[in-house]
Amino acid sequence: MRKKAAAALLLAALLLLAPAAGGPFLKQVSADSDIQLVVRGTKLALSTHVFIENGNTVVPLREISEGLGAEVSYQTGTNGQQMITLKRDDRTASLTIDSALMTANGKSIRLEAPARLYHDVTMVPLRAISEALGAVVAWDAVNRIITIDDPLQLPTIGSEEKLRELMGASNAQGGQLNKIEILAGQNEIVDNAAPASEESKSDGDYSQTNVQVGGVDEADWAKTDGRFIYQLSGSRVLITDIADPAKPKLAATVAYAAKDGFTPLEFYVDDNRLVVIGHHQARLPNNADTGTTPAASGNVASKESGTAASTASEAKRGLWMPVPMRYTVKTLIYELNEAGQPKLMREIEQEGSYGSSRKIGSAFYIVTNKNNYAYPLYDKQSGGDAAKDQYALSFQPVYSDSAVSSEQKSLPLDSIRYFPDSPEPNMMLVGAIDLDAADQPLQLSAYLGSSETIYASEKHLYVAISKYTAKDGTYKQETQIHKFRLDQGRIVYIGEGSVPGTILNQFSMDEHEGFFRIALTKDGMLANGKEGSTNNLYVLDEKLNTVGKLEGLAPGERIYSVRFMGGRAYMVTFRNIDPLFVINLNNPVKPTVLGQLKIPGYSDYLHPYDENHIIGFGKETIELPSKGMSADETTAFYQGMKIALFDVSDVNHPKEKFKEIIGDRGTNSELLQDHKALLFSKEKGLLAFPVELQEIKNKATLKPADSLSYGEFTYQGAYVYGIDLQKGFTLRSRITHLTAEDLAKSGQYGFDYEKAVRRILYSGDMLYTLSDRMLKANNLTTLKESGSLTYPAKPEESTVYPDGRLVQPLMVAE
């Protein structure tokens, strides 16, 4: 390998000394002679060496186009520039020599490595061209092989017979039932609870949603574009004009009537668009002639009303009959005018409960989970073939896109795919559209197997699914990872991999320089020795093969938070104390522990301050002797909320530089469950988040045995801190929406939750706090109140377009 590397360097040096036939191209790139290129299973013999420019592989056009089976045509532009167009099936890519722009399938893409001429050989960026033409590129860094293949085609269900076979296999393996029983004793797996990778900032002087990956937007309960503030309040979207912070006013109210069955959950905002996502439920009619009920599905458990159809035979047996309902997720796309008033332009819908979504530029992706009741498909007593056919129909998810038709359609069985080794009755649906392409219909992909946690980079979507396999009287824990390429409002399935253990949340996953990193906890917390829990980190290549691993961290504990930052990872585990591990990932094949810090308390999530400092948010703890155990056995009990600033400048000896304790046992923050509740700006020295404060009165009189006492509710609002590396945390102010009368009326545990501050945003020199009931504006420098707006108590009535197709709520301008 060293000889090959040396040869490559020598070749690069010779190229730099070559005549100027290649122009400035030669000064920017290096040649790599030992990289192999395999296209659709065939190793290509290249007419010239592979070049690396700005981290991108550049190859001869002729060989790559022939390998992919693409047609190539050449044109000369009006200014004499040479243009190239490649076509493969229904995909096209157009490049211009020496231009950094490529047009792929109607979209303009900026290239880091443009097409070039080298000694009359046309050289093109390999990955950009291949992916634009629908192929899948993977780099094997260990063996230095680039492979290009057609997308992996998972098998489809295709027929009712195959569906019954798959569901029978699911039942034999325990199916979703065993999975639910196992998960019942563990923490709920949710798509939140960790900080963003970058501070809340934007091109303008206003905050943006705290997201995990820069450039990958996440939907939220409130957002601002600097001119307006958008937020949910019950069944409404409120749009507030903040041009005059002293007198904020409602620009528009979008209200959804209960009769329409739509409940908004979160939304996106960009320059001129509002995208509202919500659950929709509709009652289905009974079929009196057959004695059956059309299948219901969606976002509730089967013991409530999410069971599928009930047959006449089940009714005769006296079984409980649920109300037939269909549960879908609707996405309402509005156009915003300069006055902040929205006009509904498009509506898409797909069956199931809302999992998560991402927005990358104008590309929008949404994941839902459809619950299916599979038992009657393989139960011989469940009403005969007619009833089984009805159940088979219920597996076909419904969807609609008003850009195409107002009618709901069903995705047929021959369009529903499954993972061969993981039969499961429930279904994951991935919808994808380009919001800028009004005529591009919703692309809906369906897979047997429900998603649990997703991670998205700018180029890929990863879906993590827990799998439990019976083994020697116990269960083997495993997490399956399914990878999709995000392709300008489409998705392309790449493949799957698996690693042992279970993940905490989306921040347990990360993609960096072509590698996928994932941190997991394996086995149970209650066992000891070999059966006890361990915490592990794995590195997977582009084909999701494991190439590096770090196992056995903090035996007997479990992961509480993870933060990946480039070539490092920070991991917090906990049982009685909080070890913060600093992990080196610069060599993906061999991750190593650089250092660790053990302190009381734990961090539920970590947020980067800069490359050498991390902010932790969690709880303080105390250790007490365990009852009935030996004198050496202790148990940790959480106390008040804790924020800490960790210094990792010396990676071998991380230290807690500053810490702040807020309140007593029982104090909580939405930030501990949802990373989007955090506002952070290093540039402004600003840190803010909501707090529900619980305090113990007369603490001086407490005895050691009283240290487990919960505090009483005393406050709810935004805590606004100054933060820097010299003073640490400085509490600048607290901002509440509760009046003195509200606090006087509050009980030991409760208060007026509609006035709970949930988000803190800034725009210009103003800080805004938001609750369901009101908005407050405070000067960002002095934090003195500038103005406020109390929202109307009741939503406006909804109206309907004349054709009855799209629900258009009434817009109220004030």
Side-chain angles (χ1 to χ4, degrees):
M1 184 66 73
R2 289 181 179 176
K3 291 181 179 180
K4 290 182 178 180
L9 292 174
L10 177 60
L11 177 61
L14 292 173
L15 286 169
L16 292 174
L17 295 174
F25 174 51
L26 294 179
K27 299 179 182 179
Q28 302 175 33
V29 302
S30 61
D32 218 321
S33 60
D34 67 337
I35 292 180
Q36 301 178 48
L37 183 58
V38 179
V39 180
R40 300 164 88 179
T42 301
K43 181 180 177 180
L44 294 189
L46 301 178
S47 57
T48 187
H49 292 294
V50 168
F51 290 93
I52 307 298
E53 180 177 3
N54 297 328
N56 294 265
T57 304
V58 183
V59 298
L61 170 64
R62 182 174 64 82
E63 282 92 336
I64 190 63
S65 61
E66 290 177 353
L68 289 172
E71 299 177 7
V72 182
S73 60
Y74 299 87
Q75 304 86 33
T76 301
T78 56
N79 296 325
Q81 70 271 34
Q82 184 177 350
M83 297 181 292
I84 309 161
T85 299
L86 296 92
K87 184 175 181 180
R88 182 175 183 254
D89 298 328
D90 62 340
R91 289 174 172 260
T92 60
S94 298
L95 306 92
T96 300
I97 297 297
D98 293 330
S99 172
L101 292 179
M102 174 178 72
T103 301
N105 308 301
K107 298 284 289 187
S108 181
I109 298 173
R110 178 163 292 278
L111 301 171
E112 295 182 3
R116 307 277 195 182
L117 282 178
Y118 167 62
H119 293 301
D120 296 326
V121 176
T122 302
M123 305 290 289
V124 295
L126 172 65
R127 186 180 293 269
I129 286 289
S130 301
E131 292 182 349
L133 298 178
V136 175
V137 181
W139 163 239
D140 181 348
V142 176
N143 298 303
R144 301 185 64 74
I145 299 174
I146 301 172
T147 59
I148 304 176
D149 292 295
D150 294 321
L152 178 64
Q153 295 297 319
L154 291 169
T156 62
I157 297 175
S159 67
E160 295 177 17
E161 290 73 21
K162 185 63 178 180
L163 178 60
R164 293 191 182 101
E165 176 189 328
L166 291 170
M167 293 305 96
S170 174
N171 182 58
Q173 294 183 17
Q176 187 69 7
L177 178 61
N178 281 341
K179 181 177 174 181
I180 291 173
E181 288 174 344
I182 295 169
L183 288 176
Q186 301 186 6
N187 287 348
E188 181 183 4
I189 298 177
V190 293
D191 184 19
N192 55 25
S197 61
E198 297 186 354
E199 63 183 73
S200 306
K201 61 184 179 181
S202 68
D203 293 334
D205 190 21
Y206 57 87
S207 59
Q208 289 187 335
T209 297
N210 202 23
V211 298
Q212 181 180 9
V213 178
V216 181
D217 199 9
E218 301 180 35
D220 198 9
W221 181 84
K223 290 176 179 279
T224 183
D225 57 10
R227 177 68 172 77
F228 299 93
I229 285 179
Y230 308 79
Q231 74 163 87
L232 296 181
S233 176
S235 60
R236 304 171 294 176
V237 178
L238 305 176
I239 303 175
T240 303
D241 186 338
I242 56 172
D244 182 359
K247 296 180 180 179
K249 60 181 181 180
L250 277 179
T253 299
V254 186
Y256 304 98
K259 63 182 177 63
D260 295 322
F262 178 78
T263 303
L265 299 174
E266 52 186 16
F267 61 86
Y268 293 90
V269 169
D270 57 28
D271 292 338
N272 58 356
R273 189 163 38 215
L274 171 68
V275 180
V276 180
I277 303 166
H279 278 144
H280 180 260
Q281 59 182 24
R283 182 168 180 169
L284 298 177
N286 291 330
N287 190 331
D289 296 331
T290 62
T292 64
T293 301
S297 63
N299 62 337
V300 293
S302 59
K303 67 181 180 179
E304 295 172 357
S305 56
T307 59
S310 298
T311 64
S313 61
E314 288 173 326
K316 291 178 181 178
R317 285 185 271 171
L319 297 181
W320 173 73
M321 302 288 290
V323 176
M325 302 290 290
R326 172 168 285 139
Y327 299 86
T328 61
V329 174
K330 281 190 175 183
T331 302
L332 307 178
I333 302 167
Y334 298 88
E335 182 183 84
L336 296 167
N337 64 19
E338 293 184 357
Q341 295 184 332
K343 178 181 179 182
L344 186 59
M345 304 300 294
R346 186 174 182 181
E347 176 180 320
I348 64 173
E349 183 176 19
Q350 63 191 61
E351 194 166 0
S353 60
Y354 182 49
S356 192
S357 64
R358 295 293 187 271
K359 181 175 172 293
I360 305 171
S362 64
F364 172 69
Y365 307 93
I366 182 168
V367 180
T368 61
N369 291 312
K370 179 181 184 292
N371 294 332
N372 290 311
Y373 182 53
Y375 180 73
L377 282 169
Y378 47 80
D379 177 26
K380 296 180 180 180
Q381 306 300 319
S382 294
D385 291 340
K388 289 182 173 65
D389 290 343
Q390 180 67 26
Y391 279 105
L393 287 173
S394 78
F395 271 75
Q396 301 180 21
V398 300
Y399 68 100
S400 65
D401 182 353
S402 66
V404 178
S405 170
S406 60
E407 297 181 357
Q408 281 190 340
K409 298 181 180 180
S410 294
L411 201 64
L413 293 179
D414 59 9
S415 295
I416 302 173
R417 302 187 181 275
Y418 65 93
F419 307 116
D421 60 341
S422 305
E424 186 183 318
N426 296 330
M427 189 181 301
M428 175 181 68
L429 305 174
V430 184
I433 61 170
D434 183 347
L435 295 168
D436 285 344
D439 57 345
Q440 177 184 310
L442 170 72
Q443 179 202 354
L444 186 67
S445 304
Y447 307 87
L448 284 185
S450 55
S451 67
E452 292 174 8
T453 311
I454 76 167
Y455 164 81
S457 67
E458 289 191 84
K459 293 185 177 180
H460 296 106
L461 173 73
Y462 296 86
V463 177
I465 303 174
S466 299
K467 182 180 179 182
Y468 297 84
T469 306
K471 181 180 180 181
D472 300 328
T474 183
Y475 285 91
K476 176 185 176 183
Q477 298 176 335
E478 198 172 46
T479 293
Q480 289 185 322
I481 305 116
H482 296 282
K483 180 180 180 180
F484 302 83
R485 187 170 78 231
L486 303 178
D487 193 12
Q488 300 174 327
R490 306 180 186 182
I491 65 166
V492 177
Y493 184 70
I494 301 298
E496 71 171 293
S498 63
V499 286
T502 57
I503 66 172
L504 175 67
N505 53 42
Q506 70 187 71
F507 289 85
S508 299
M509 299 180 282
D510 179 77
E511 182 184 76
H512 180 65
E513 295 182 348
F515 292 98
F516 177 71
R517 295 93 69 90
I518 183 169
L520 311 93
T521 298
K522 181 183 177 184
D523 298 322
M525 279 279 293
L526 300 180
N528 294 313
K530 293 182 179 180
E531 303 302 321
S533 63
T534 59
N535 303 285
N536 312 306
L537 188 150
Y538 299 93
V539 181
L540 285 65
D541 65 14
E542 290 197 87
K543 291 188 176 181
L544 295 184
N545 299 310
T546 299
V547 295
K549 63 178 65 176
L550 177 62
E551 299 179 314
L553 297 174
E557 302 177 9
R558 70 174 178 86
I559 292 173
Y560 267 58
S561 58
V562 184
R563 167 54 63 196
F564 290 96
M565 291 174 59
R568 291 185 197 169
Y570 301 93
M571 179 191 299
V572 170
T573 62
F574 180 76
R575 185 163 185 171
N576 285 342
I577 58 173
D578 173 2
L580 168 68
F581 290 94
V582 182
I583 299 169
N584 182 8
L585 293 170
N586 284 309
N587 181 358
V589 178
K590 191 176 181 180
T592 57
V593 173
L594 296 173
Q596 65 171 291
L597 170 68
K598 294 184 178 182
I599 52 175
Y602 57 84
S603 298
D604 281 297
Y605 54 87
L606 301 167
H607 189 98
Y609 178 85
D610 61 21
E611 61 181 7
N612 289 315
H613 296 86
I614 303 291
I615 310 170
F617 300 84
K619 295 288 182 71
E620 179 72 325
T621 61
I622 59 170
E623 283 190 75
L624 296 176
S626 300
K627 292 183 179 181
M629 305 296 288
S630 68
D632 295 333
E633 291 288 334
T634 61
T635 300
F637 296 91
Y638 75 86
Q639 300 294 294
M641 183 177 177
K642 174 183 176 180
I643 56 177
L645 183 62
F646 298 105
D647 185 345
V648 290
S649 302
D650 181 352
V651 293
N652 303 118
H653 302 93
K655 60 183 179 180
E656 186 179 69
K657 191 170 184 178
F658 301 102
K659 78 172 183 177
E660 179 93 352
I661 307 300
I662 304 171
D664 296 307
R665 186 171 171 85
T667 297
N668 195 27
S669 171
E670 185 172 350
L671 175 55
L672 301 185
Q673 291 80 44
D674 190 345
H675 62 281
K676 289 173 278 192
L678 175 65
L679 173 66
F680 168 70
S681 171
K682 178 187 173 186
E683 180 183 9
K684 296 180 182 296
L686 175 64
L687 184 73
F689 48 89
V691 173
E692 181 180 330
L693 187 67
Q694 303 271 347
E695 292 182 306
I696 297 174
K697 298 179 179 179
N698 302 319
K699 292 180 68 172
T701 63
L702 287 181
K703 299 177 181 178
D706 297 327
S707 56
L708 300 185
S709 299
Y710 284 86
E712 297 181 17
F713 171 76
T714 57
Y715 185 85
Q716 197 288 330
Y719 272 53
V720 183
Y721 284 90
I723 179 172
D724 59 46
L725 298 181
Q726 288 70 46
K727 298 179 181 179
F729 306 105
T730 304
L731 181 60
R732 297 179 56 201
S733 184
R734 304 190 307 177
I735 303 171
T736 184
H737 291 186
L738 299 172
T739 65
E741 183 180 359
D742 293 329
L743 288 170
K745 289 181 178 178
S746 63
Q748 181 174 355
Y749 304 105
F751 60 100
D752 186 348
Y753 286 91
E754 289 190 351
K755 292 185 178 180
V757 172
R758 296 193 56 192
R759 292 292 185 272
I760 306 101
L761 312 174
Y762 72 79
S763 178
D765 59 358
M766 286 292 157
L767 187 75
Y768 296 91
T769 52
L770 309 173
S771 67
D772 276 312
R773 189 72 61 83
M774 68 183 303
L775 171 150
K776 272 190 179 183
N778 290 62
N779 183 277
L780 195 55
T781 301
T782 65
L783 292 179
K784 292 183 178 180
E785 184 174 331
S786 174
S788 65
L789 173 64
T790 300
Y791 300 132
K794 294 181 180 180
E796 301 294 334
E797 291 297 324
S798 295
T799 59
V800 181
Y801 273 135
D803 63 1
R805 179 168 62 92
L806 296 177
V807 177
Q808 172 62 62
L810 179 66
M811 304 304 162
V812 181
E814 298 182 356

